[in-house]
Amino acid sequence: MAECLNKQKNLKKCNCTYPCSRKGLCCECIAYHLARKELPACFFSKKDEASYDRSFEHFCRINKNSK
Ligand code: SF4
């Protein structure tokens, strides 16, 4: 498969600290996490991303009071 044309651009914005081969390949990253009822690291703050809990529940818990 051809390398993603946007990989380098995506990597500049990626906040994920987990060692992972999908880094910068956002379509693969989203598909991987959605299949597990999770969201990618970029949906979380630096602090919350570092927990590696990417579950929908965690996302809802930390955002329940935000508008
Ligand atoms: S958010 Fe998940 S799939 Fe995406 S690069 Fe990080 S660990 Fe990999």
Side-chain angles (χ1 to χ4, degrees):
M1 183 186 275
E3 181 81 353
C4 175
L5 294 175
N6 295 317
K7 185 174 182 183
Q8 294 309 314
K9 194 167 65 177
N10 292 341
L11 282 173
K12 287 182 186 160
K13 294 188 217 163
C14 181
N15 68 338
C16 183
T17 58
Y18 192 82
C20 176
S21 61
R22 285 172 285 273
K23 215 168 274 185
L25 304 173
C26 300
C27 53
E28 290 186 18
C29 180
I30 289 169
Y32 174 84
H33 284 292
L34 282 183
R36 290 160 182 75
K37 299 189 185 329
E38 297 174 346
L39 294 163
C42 54
F43 281 71
F44 297 90
S45 68
K46 182 180 172 69
K47 174 178 136 290
D48 292 312
E49 181 280 326
S51 73
Y52 298 147
D53 181 353
R54 313 239 190 275
S55 66
F56 290 166
E57 290 83 3
H58 185 216
F59 180 82
C60 290
R61 214 169 27 248
I62 60 181
N63 288 289
K64 68 180 176 196
N65 293 323
S66 61
K67 290 186 179 177

